[in-house]
Amino acid sequence: MIVVMKAGATEDEVGAVIGRIKDLGFTPHVSQGVERCVIGCIGDERTKPRLQSLEAMAGVENVVPILKPYKLASRQVKMTRTVLNVDGVQIGGDHVVVAAGPCSVETREQVMETAVAVQSSGAKLLRGGAFKPRSSPYSFQGMGEDGLKLLVEAKAVTGLPIVTEVMAPEDVDLVASHADVLQIGTRNAQNFPLLKRVGKSTKPVFLKRGMASTIQEFLMAAEYILTEGNPNVILCERGIRTFETATRFTLDLSAVPVLKEESHLPVFVDPSHSSGHWRYVAPMALAAIAAGADGLLVEVHPRPAEALCDGPQALKPDTFQAMMDSLVKVAEAIGRKAL
Amino acid sequence: MIVVMKAGATEDEVGAVIGRIKDLGFTPHVSQGVERCVIGCIGDERTKPRLQSLEAMAGVENVVPILKPYKLASRQVKMTRTVLNVDGVQIGGDHVVVAAGPCSVETREQVMETAVAVQSSGAKLLRGGAFKPRSSPYSFQGMGEDGLKLLVEAKAVTGLPIVTEVMAPEDVDLVASHADVLQIGTRNAQNFPLLKRVGKSTKPVFLKRGMASTIQEFLMAAEYILTEGNPNVILCERGIRTFETATRFTLDLSAVPVLKEESHLPVFVDPSHSSGHWRYVAPMALAAIAAGADGLLVEVHPRPAEALCDGPQALKPDTFQAMMDSLVKVAEAIGRKAL
Amino acid sequence: MIVVMKAGATEDEVGAVIGRIKDLGFTPHVSQGVERCVIGCIGDERTKPRLQSLEAMAGVENVVPILKPYKLASRQVKMTRTVLNVDGVQIGGDHVVVAAGPCSVETREQVMETAVAVQSSGAKLLRGGAFKPRSSPYSFQGMGEDGLKLLVEAKAVTGLPIVTEVMAPEDVDLVASHADVLQIGTRNAQNFPLLKRVGKSTKPVFLKRGMASTIQEFLMAAEYILTEGNPNVILCERGIRTFETATRFTLDLSAVPVLKEESHLPVFVDPSHSSGHWRYVAPMALAAIAAGADGLLVEVHPRPAEALCDGPQALKPDTFQAMMDSLVKVAEAIGRKAL
Amino acid sequence: MIVVMKAGATEDEVGAVIGRIKDLGFTPHVSQGVERCVIGCIGDERTKPRLQSLEAMAGVENVVPILKPYKLASRQVKMTRTVLNVDGVQIGGDHVVVAAGPCSVETREQVMETAVAVQSSGAKLLRGGAFKPRSSPYSFQGMGEDGLKLLVEAKAVTGLPIVTEVMAPEDVDLVASHADVLQIGTRNAQNFPLLKRVGKSTKPVFLKRGMASTIQEFLMAAEYILTEGNPNVILCERGIRTFETATRFTLDLSAVPVLKEESHLPVFVDPSHSSGHWRYVAPMALAAIAAGADGLLVEVHPRPAEALCDGPQALKPDTFQAMMDSLVKVAEAIGRKAL
């Protein structure tokens, strides 16, 4: 870190800061500018994040971090890209992978019909929510364990591994006993007890970016999982909160190349929740792949107008098929495969 | 809700929408404009939130909600203001109430020293974190149960009721057995299993606004607690995420009169986390009271530069005293009391 | 518009609102719900935008617009896509078009070298700033008229039509006498005197989205130009202001399909200013085309480290060439041409 | 500035950066950390802002500014607070000053009635728009010069100096010949030709913060005016764009103490435009004064429901009087005067 002293900071104030830097186990390095004194703190600021408290000392203007705060998620620690194997499906390799299915599991018929349809169009994973975070307590809250069982039935028929959300630490074992990938939703992106708990699981974790998380905070959420011992994390950009209301969230596709630059973890994009309207899903899906994403999470429902959750953003099987047809071509254009 | 049809919607499309509205238990009311057909849906859209799925039907432009989605939190259901009694301290009444204390409980000495100081300056509640949500897994994570015990010791000495955070459903009983008020942090503002769990507690809940929550979503989070049977909710504005970086968050003080207009629940403001710098805490504390807030949550630490958490935003006991001196006068200016 | 009355609105209040609606030239249409009275206003709310003032009347909860406020920019008024001809270059047709060049015109050598390079890589338009909006008065402010002359020289050599910014109404004639396309920058997105002035020009206008403009406000800015009689407007998404700081702005690529749905005007994307780092320009350029953009505005500089403006985001001629190679393939993948 | 080199930067890359720093007129100061090399650039980075282009050099991770980019607006250059005299009204002194009046000048009767009313309640300046920036070309665009004349008539009767907006450089002389204070609106906050032009005027400038401007950019906009020779700038916070829609903008009251800390210029707050609803204006006005603002800009209209512009946010004369009554007490509570 760099400690920037105020313009009129006294020698005593500078001395006190230097003393404190040493106390915290860092080596100070003073640089006197034309107007201000700047003190570099040499040492690993990530594992000892207490330097920030120097800002409370007299004469200090502010404290500027130099190193990124993540380690295990960074490419400095792991240069090669992480490729996960989810029941035979490679995630983060040459093939872009599409996970598709309904927002929420509603009935056996609905799950089966959707699973068969998305598989035949080229999806490699089945998504579907049994535990649903809903902003209203009056909305459908998901089928819970019964929903998990329907997903397992759908996997038995189609062979598609299951991605499904877990919302509370005490549900991790239950969900992990049915699912192949544990999804953490945007509203739990900084639910640290939950992140620690899935970090202790052996199942891969599909981590959505918080709608208010910076990319740095997003990687720190991944770091929580990685430091607990689970190296299998998939990052997913799904839209952030901005002033724009024409779409439900603003899909931050620039996050894709930034995450690829900063981290070795695979990067997915969810074009459904960000858009909020099915009409915008396919263009954003293609854009995500062109930007370098390793895969997509897409909502598909056989009868969107009857969906218990997020119907307006669901593709029907035929529009999903059309999207996949284009996706194959865009993936090839950038030297990857989609099927 | 209002269903707005597209300019060229056919009679069949309008008919299908009308049929679906009836199926969902609402009464349609058609209004033909110069350019578009608009269909009102008469019925209580809050308890049956499925109308939104009509947006997926052919010919529908969009679906516009008319009623606010919260009921129990609204002033329509409860006209009188809610006043809570926390161990003898009235919250939401004529007196504005200050909860003060350290960001995190660090040592017995630190907690005692702070508790005695804030009490002598006029604080009525003691705040302090034993379970700490930190964006880095390398940061101090709180003392846990040992921290709760130190807070209880401080209460024994000062008599100040305790406000402290609970982060996971499985910790609610433990925290409730020590604390007087259960705090839900901004990162758990849409952690619905946690909200439901504290909704089953008999202890008052201090609910912080999510840094990306709209005021409507904030009230829906309160609604989750209220629908579980716990009527004792205190709302707390603590800053939202915006593009401005001069402060840690942007304190949305306009939320105070809006929440007072929309809801009967007491409204607090946290000027410490929003500012991120102790220098801006006192002005924002005074502003919050002038805007009509019922109380404040303020961080105080005897030696901020040594704090394990958020030192830069902590007031020292003497600056806290100065803030309280001004607060008494501002409260009087708007016809309330602060001591 | 829809006027939503408060729950307890009196008959007199409803009557007063109905009277006022008639006074303003609309036909009221009353609908009594279970809880509230809702009054539709039948008539063209776009050309008479005064209904909003009804919100100030007693008993009114709020006023909800139903129609989009733009007319000439909308697809309702013009169903076919607008294709512009800029000195022989078709904008908005089957070919995607790349405008490339330096952020600012600095020297004859720099402009010539860049113009020749981008042309040989497939750019169809030359961009370059002579009048520069800089956030600091101490930064290079552009060469002004001398810069315009250098652009004309570059056009004489390469044949590339010129896109360059105009910042003030009094400069429109000067800039129009040299340039082929008048660019309006993001900071002037709601500079209405300037929009009206270029609306009176016969030159096409390249209109950048304001960094804080909603898509609706963006189209209203276009509407200002269109209502003055200039039908030749190119819309350009260039990143909006959000809380994310890893990129300079957040490129809102979802705006591309939304603008294509709402408007008949061509849509470009500027991946340079949004990213702020050259490394992220090519992925976002490919993503923009995959999302359906009609063209790109890209910054290229032969020696970015010596640039007087925005060096970090400039591509070098060789990285620009590599981007164009990929662009050709992505354009083909979605059924368009890039060369 | 501080240049942070990448982890694996070579000696040659470090050498090239050092050379370039010297070429640009700065003194490099190298500091080798455990992982990275960091190079301080000693010299005044404000007047030579080209260091940022170093980010384009090989081996450079990023360039971190240390000094704030404003000089003349800063308290480092001018330690004492600026107090302006507007026709006998002191701005920025012990008295808080209220400028009030209609959003737009509509009729003689309306202006006169409002001017007399606000004066009798204690306003010291009359506000009113003759040139109106409206997001729709179909909305009332203001009375122009005729409106200016009505304001002058109102001043003749009440003695209240006039604050009114100027939107284009070519109108500055006209507006300055009628008005006492030239207002720059939020949409022109980075209209640099306009800022330079009013910087050449001798009239005080009332500068509104851009709805997407950081506090730093806001002060740089003031710097544009100051560097042209006009030292009389009043800063005005008026709400920024965020995701919250319950209010029209989010009033960033924290900007008040930040601006007071960073700058010597007077700071006003506009609680009308930020709120968008008259009901929230008074609480935010009181909060602004409690936060330390030097004055307010408030919209008052005798018949808001008939206003041609922004009726919903206008106070009526009686609610304005009530606000002023409270304001006097809050100002006293913090040791200032309001009348």
Side-chain angles (χ1 to χ4, degrees):
Chain A
M1 295 216 182
I2 302 282
V3 180
V4 182
M5 301 300 294
K6 292 189 182 182
T10 66
E11 270 187 47
D12 281 1
E13 289 170 342
V14 173
V17 170
I18 288 172
R20 183 83 185 135
I21 289 171
K22 289 179 182 167
D23 288 351
L24 290 171
F26 294 83
T27 305
H29 184 264
V30 179
S31 164
Q32 183 63 52
V34 283
E35 200 172 88
R36 279 154 205 260
C37 177
V38 169
I39 310 171
C41 305
I42 299 175
D44 188 344
E45 64 197 59
R46 286 169 302 200
T47 50
K48 302 180 200 161
R50 289 188 52 205
L51 283 172
Q52 201 69 41
S53 63
L54 294 173
E55 242 176 56
M57 293 187 77
V60 174
E61 172 94 8
N62 62 336
V63 174
V64 182
I66 294 299
L67 298 187
K68 305 290 172 59
Y70 34 89
K71 282 194 92 154
L72 301 182
S74 79
R75 282 178 63 204
Q76 266 180 259
V77 164
K78 181 169 182 298
M79 304 292 276
T80 56
R81 302 219 69 84
T82 289
V83 180
L84 308 187
N85 182 318
V86 175
D87 223 6
V89 179
Q90 304 288 319
I91 308 274
D94 288 341
H95 280 65
V96 298
V97 169
V98 176
C103 182
S104 65
V105 175
E106 297 166 6
T107 64
R108 171 174 289 113
E109 182 197 16
Q110 170 237 23
V111 176
M112 288 300 170
E113 191 177 345
T114 311
V116 169
V118 301
Q119 185 196 31
S120 82
S121 295
K124 299 296 185 205
L125 298 167
L126 176 65
R127 66 144 290 156
F131 295 90
K132 296 299 305 171
R134 303 303 299 277
S135 49
S136 169
Y138 307 119
S139 296
F140 175 60
Q141 305 277 315
M143 292 181 71
E145 189 170 357
D146 289 342
L148 295 177
K149 288 176 184 166
L150 292 181
L151 290 168
V152 171
E153 283 187 45
K155 181 181 177 187
V157 171
T158 60
L160 296 179
I162 298 164
V163 184
T164 196
E165 180 161 355
V166 57
M167 289 170 64
E170 64 262 38
D171 295 333
V172 171
D173 286 337
L174 173 66
V175 177
S177 69
H178 294 81
D180 299 284
V181 180
L182 303 173
Q183 181 179 320
I184 303 291
T186 188
R187 289 168 181 79
N188 287 316
Q190 292 195 313
N191 180 339
F192 302 118
L194 181 60
L195 296 176
K196 287 180 183 174
R197 184 64 191 74
V198 298
K200 292 193 168 72
S201 170
T202 56
K203 289 286 167 82
V205 178
F206 191 91
L207 178 66
K208 288 200 165 183
R209 180 180 180 183
M211 64 181 81
S213 292
T214 61
I215 290 173
Q216 185 167 298
E217 288 169 334
F218 186 19
L219 287 171
M220 289 308 281
E223 193 87 1
Y224 259 97
I225 299 169
L226 299 170
T227 53
E228 293 291 333
N230 187 342
N232 299 313
V233 177
I234 303 161
L235 304 169
C236 182
E237 160 63 29
R238 51 77 67 204
I240 59 173
R241 264 266 147 101
T242 73
F243 62 80
E244 179 57 64
T245 57
T247 45
R248 197 168 162 191
F249 295 93
T250 297
L251 189 65
D252 179 13
L253 274 191
S254 307
V256 174
V258 173
L259 287 168
K260 292 286 218 174
E261 176 78 13
E262 293 292 322
S263 177
H264 53 85
L265 296 168
V267 178
F268 270 50
V269 168
D270 174 348
S272 303
H273 281 89
S274 49
S275 299
H277 301 289
W278 68 268
R279 199 175 283 111
Y280 307 137
V281 171
M284 300 320 289
L286 303 183
I289 297 305
D294 296 303
L296 300 171
L297 189 74
V298 179
E299 291 194 358
V300 178
H301 195 289
R303 287 164 297 280
E306 296 173 19
L308 295 177
C309 173
D310 288 348
Q313 74 201 29
L315 294 182
K316 291 183 192 173
D318 60 340
T319 45
F320 179 68
Q321 175 68 54
M323 183 200 92
M324 290 298 292
D325 291 344
S326 298
L327 196 63
V328 168
K329 294 178 197 160
V330 170
E332 264 169 31
I334 59 159
R336 299 183 84 169
K337 299 275 178 200
L339 285 185
Chain B
M1 296 214 181
I2 302 283
V3 180
V4 182
M5 301 300 294
K6 292 189 182 183
T10 65
E11 269 187 48
D12 280 1
E13 288 169 344
V14 172
V17 170
I18 288 172
R20 183 83 184 134
I21 289 170
K22 289 178 181 167
D23 288 352
L24 291 170
F26 294 83
T27 305
H29 184 265
V30 179
S31 164
Q32 184 62 52
V34 282
E35 200 172 88
R36 279 153 204 261
C37 176
V38 168
I39 311 172
C41 305
I42 299 174
D44 189 343
E45 63 196 59
R46 287 169 303 202
T47 50
K48 302 182 201 160
R50 290 187 52 205
L51 282 173
Q52 202 68 41
S53 62
L54 294 174
E55 242 175 56
M57 293 187 78
V60 174
E61 171 94 8
N62 64 336
V63 175
V64 183
I66 294 298
L67 299 187
K68 306 288 173 58
Y70 34 88
K71 281 192 93 154
L72 301 182
S74 79
R75 281 179 63 203
Q76 265 180 260
V77 165
K78 181 169 182 297
M79 304 293 277
T80 57
R81 302 221 68 84
T82 290
V83 180
L84 309 186
N85 182 318
V86 176
D87 224 4
V89 180
Q90 303 289 319
I91 308 273
D94 287 342
H95 280 65
V96 298
V97 168
V98 177
C103 181
S104 65
V105 175
E106 296 166 6
T107 65
R108 171 175 288 113
E109 184 196 15
Q110 170 239 20
V111 176
M112 289 300 171
E113 191 177 346
T114 311
V116 169
V118 301
Q119 184 196 31
S120 83
S121 295
K124 300 296 184 205
L125 298 167
L126 176 64
R127 65 145 291 156
F131 295 90
K132 297 297 306 170
R134 304 301 300 275
S135 49
S136 169
Y138 306 119
S139 295
F140 175 60
Q141 305 278 314
M143 292 181 70
E145 189 169 356
D146 289 343
L148 295 176
K149 288 176 182 165
L150 292 180
L151 290 168
V152 171
E153 283 188 43
K155 181 182 177 184
V157 172
T158 60
L160 296 180
I162 298 163
V163 183
T164 196
E165 180 161 355
V166 57
M167 288 169 64
E170 65 261 36
D171 295 334
V172 170
D173 286 337
L174 173 66
V175 176
S177 69
H178 294 80
D180 299 284
V181 180
L182 303 174
Q183 181 180 320
I184 303 291
T186 188
R187 289 167 182 80
N188 286 316
Q190 292 195 311
N191 180 338
F192 302 118
L194 182 60
L195 295 176
K196 287 180 183 174
R197 185 64 191 75
V198 298
K200 293 192 167 70
S201 171
T202 56
K203 290 285 169 82
V205 178
F206 191 92
L207 178 65
K208 288 199 166 185
R209 180 180 181 184
M211 64 180 82
S213 292
T214 60
I215 290 173
Q216 184 167 299
E217 288 169 335
F218 185 20
L219 287 171
M220 289 308 281
E223 193 86 1
Y224 259 97
I225 299 168
L226 298 170
T227 53
E228 294 291 333
N230 188 341
N232 300 311
V233 176
I234 302 162
L235 304 170
C236 182
E237 161 62 30
R238 50 76 68 202
I240 58 173
R241 264 264 146 104
T242 74
F243 62 81
E244 179 56 65
T245 57
T247 46
R248 198 169 162 191
F249 295 92
T250 297
L251 189 65
D252 179 13
L253 274 190
S254 308
V256 175
V258 174
L259 287 168
K260 292 287 217 174
E261 176 77 15
E262 294 291 322
S263 178
H264 53 86
L265 297 169
V267 179
F268 271 50
V269 169
D270 174 348
S272 303
H273 281 89
S274 49
S275 298
H277 301 289
W278 68 267
R279 199 176 282 110
Y280 307 137
V281 171
M284 299 321 289
L286 302 182
I289 297 306
D294 296 303
L296 300 171
L297 188 75
V298 179
E299 291 194 359
V300 178
H301 195 289
R303 289 163 297 281
E306 295 174 21
L308 295 177
C309 173
D310 288 347
Q313 74 200 30
L315 294 181
K316 291 184 192 173
D318 60 341
T319 44
F320 179 69
Q321 175 69 54
M323 183 201 92
M324 290 299 292
D325 292 344
S326 298
L327 195 63
V328 168
K329 295 177 196 159
V330 171
E332 265 169 29
I334 58 159
R336 300 182 83 169
K337 299 274 177 200
L339 284 184
Chain C
M1 295 216 182
I2 302 283
V3 180
V4 183
M5 301 300 293
K6 292 190 183 182
T10 66
E11 269 187 47
D12 279 2
E13 288 170 342
V14 172
V17 170
I18 288 172
R20 183 82 184 135
I21 289 170
K22 289 178 182 166
D23 287 353
L24 290 170
F26 294 83
T27 306
H29 183 265
V30 180
S31 163
Q32 183 62 52
V34 283
E35 201 171 88
R36 279 153 204 261
C37 177
V38 168
I39 311 171
C41 306
I42 298 175
D44 189 343
E45 63 196 57
R46 287 169 302 201
T47 50
K48 302 179 199 160
R50 290 187 51 204
L51 283 173
Q52 201 69 42
S53 62
L54 294 173
E55 242 175 57
M57 293 186 78
V60 174
E61 171 94 8
N62 63 337
V63 175
V64 183
I66 294 298
L67 299 187
K68 306 289 173 59
Y70 33 89
K71 281 193 93 153
L72 301 182
S74 79
R75 282 179 62 204
Q76 265 179 260
V77 165
K78 181 170 182 297
M79 303 292 278
T80 58
R81 302 221 68 85
T82 290
V83 180
L84 310 186
N85 182 319
V86 176
D87 224 5
V89 179
Q90 304 289 320
I91 307 273
D94 288 341
H95 280 66
V96 298
V97 168
V98 177
C103 182
S104 66
V105 175
E106 297 165 6
T107 65
R108 173 175 287 112
E109 183 197 15
Q110 170 238 20
V111 175
M112 289 301 172
E113 192 177 344
T114 310
V116 169
V118 301
Q119 184 197 29
S120 83
S121 295
K124 299 296 183 205
L125 297 166
L126 176 65
R127 65 144 290 155
F131 295 90
K132 296 298 305 170
R134 303 301 301 276
S135 50
S136 169
Y138 307 119
S139 296
F140 175 61
Q141 306 277 315
M143 293 180 71
E145 189 170 357
D146 290 342
L148 294 177
K149 289 176 182 165
L150 292 181
L151 289 168
V152 171
E153 285 188 42
K155 181 182 178 184
V157 171
T158 60
L160 296 179
I162 298 163
V163 184
T164 196
E165 180 160 355
V166 58
M167 288 169 64
E170 64 263 36
D171 296 334
V172 170
D173 286 337
L174 173 66
V175 176
S177 69
H178 294 79
D180 299 284
V181 180
L182 303 173
Q183 181 178 319
I184 303 291
T186 188
R187 289 167 183 80
N188 286 317
Q190 293 196 311
N191 180 338
F192 302 117
L194 181 60
L195 295 176
K196 287 180 183 174
R197 184 63 190 76
V198 298
K200 293 193 167 69
S201 171
T202 57
K203 289 285 169 83
V205 178
F206 191 91
L207 178 66
K208 287 200 167 184
R209 179 180 180 183
M211 65 180 79
S213 291
T214 61
I215 290 173
Q216 185 167 298
E217 288 169 335
F218 185 19
L219 287 171
M220 289 308 282
E223 193 86 0
Y224 260 96
I225 299 168
L226 298 170
T227 53
E228 294 292 332
N230 188 340
N232 299 313
V233 176
I234 302 162
L235 304 170
C236 182
E237 160 63 29
R238 50 76 68 205
I240 58 173
R241 262 266 146 104
T242 73
F243 62 81
E244 179 57 64
T245 57
T247 45
R248 199 169 162 192
F249 294 93
T250 296
L251 188 65
D252 179 14
L253 274 191
S254 307
V256 175
V258 174
L259 287 168
K260 291 288 216 172
E261 175 77 14
E262 294 292 322
S263 177
H264 53 86
L265 297 168
V267 179
F268 270 51
V269 168
D270 174 349
S272 303
H273 281 89
S274 50
S275 298
H277 301 289
W278 67 267
R279 198 176 283 111
Y280 307 136
V281 171
M284 298 321 290
L286 303 183
I289 297 306
D294 296 302
L296 300 170
L297 189 75
V298 179
E299 292 194 358
V300 178
H301 194 290
R303 288 164 296 282
E306 296 174 20
L308 295 178
C309 173
D310 289 345
Q313 74 200 30
L315 294 181
K316 292 185 191 172
D318 59 341
T319 45
F320 179 68
Q321 175 69 54
M323 183 200 91
M324 290 298 291
D325 292 343
S326 298
L327 195 62
V328 168
K329 294 178 197 160
V330 171
E332 266 169 28
I334 58 159
R336 300 182 83 168
K337 299 274 177 203
L339 284 185
Chain D
M1 294 216 184
I2 302 283
V3 180
V4 182
M5 301 300 293
K6 293 189 182 182
T10 65
E11 269 187 48
D12 280 2
E13 288 170 343
V14 173
V17 170
I18 289 172
R20 183 83 185 135
I21 290 170
K22 288 179 182 165
D23 288 353
L24 291 170
F26 295 83
T27 306
H29 184 264
V30 179
S31 164
Q32 184 62 53
V34 282
E35 200 172 88
R36 278 153 204 261
C37 176
V38 169
I39 310 171
C41 305
I42 299 174
D44 189 344
E45 63 196 59
R46 286 168 304 201
T47 50
K48 302 179 200 161
R50 289 188 52 203
L51 282 172
Q52 201 68 42
S53 63
L54 294 173
E55 242 176 55
M57 293 188 76
V60 174
E61 171 94 9
N62 63 335
V63 174
V64 182
I66 294 298
L67 299 187
K68 305 289 172 58
Y70 35 88
K71 283 193 91 152
L72 301 182
S74 80
R75 283 178 62 204
Q76 264 180 260
V77 164
K78 181 168 182 297
M79 304 292 277
T80 57
R81 303 220 67 85
T82 290
V83 180
L84 309 186
N85 183 318
V86 176
D87 223 4
V89 179
Q90 303 289 317
I91 307 273
D94 288 342
H95 279 66
V96 299
V97 169
V98 176
C103 181
S104 65
V105 175
E106 297 165 7
T107 64
R108 172 174 289 111
E109 182 197 17
Q110 170 237 23
V111 176
M112 288 301 170
E113 190 177 345
T114 311
V116 169
V118 301
Q119 185 196 31
S120 83
S121 295
K124 299 296 183 205
L125 298 167
L126 176 65
R127 66 145 290 155
F131 295 89
K132 297 297 306 170
R134 303 302 300 276
S135 48
S136 168
Y138 307 118
S139 296
F140 175 61
Q141 305 277 316
M143 293 180 71
E145 189 169 357
D146 289 343
L148 295 176
K149 288 176 183 166
L150 293 181
L151 289 168
V152 171
E153 284 187 44
K155 182 182 178 184
V157 172
T158 60
L160 297 179
I162 297 163
V163 184
T164 197
E165 181 161 356
V166 58
M167 288 170 64
E170 64 262 38
D171 296 334
V172 170
D173 286 337
L174 173 66
V175 176
S177 68
H178 294 80
D180 300 283
V181 180
L182 303 174
Q183 181 180 320
I184 303 291
T186 188
R187 290 167 182 80
N188 286 316
Q190 293 196 310
N191 180 338
F192 302 118
L194 181 61
L195 296 176
K196 287 180 183 172
R197 185 62 191 75
V198 298
K200 292 192 168 72
S201 170
T202 56
K203 289 284 168 82
V205 178
F206 191 91
L207 179 65
K208 287 200 166 184
R209 179 181 181 183
M211 64 180 80
S213 292
T214 61
I215 290 173
Q216 184 167 300
E217 288 169 335
F218 185 20
L219 287 171
M220 289 309 281
E223 193 87 1
Y224 260 96
I225 300 168
L226 299 170
T227 53
E228 294 291 334
N230 187 342
N232 299 313
V233 176
I234 302 162
L235 303 169
C236 182
E237 160 63 29
R238 49 78 67 205
I240 58 174
R241 261 264 146 106
T242 73
F243 63 82
E244 179 57 64
T245 56
T247 45
R248 199 168 161 191
F249 295 93
T250 296
L251 189 66
D252 180 13
L253 274 190
S254 308
V256 174
V258 174
L259 287 168
K260 291 289 217 174
E261 175 78 14
E262 294 292 323
S263 178
H264 52 86
L265 296 168
V267 179
F268 270 51
V269 168
D270 173 349
S272 302
H273 282 89
S274 49
S275 298
H277 301 289
W278 68 268
R279 198 176 283 112
Y280 307 137
V281 171
M284 300 320 290
L286 302 183
I289 296 306
D294 296 303
L296 299 171
L297 188 75
V298 179
E299 291 194 359
V300 178
H301 195 291
R303 288 163 298 280
E306 296 173 20
L308 295 177
C309 172
D310 288 347
Q313 74 200 28
L315 295 181
K316 292 183 191 173
D318 60 340
T319 45
F320 179 68
Q321 175 68 54
M323 183 200 92
M324 291 298 291
D325 292 344
S326 298
L327 195 63
V328 169
K329 295 178 196 158
V330 171
E332 265 170 28
I334 58 159
R336 300 181 83 168
K337 300 274 177 201
L339 285 185

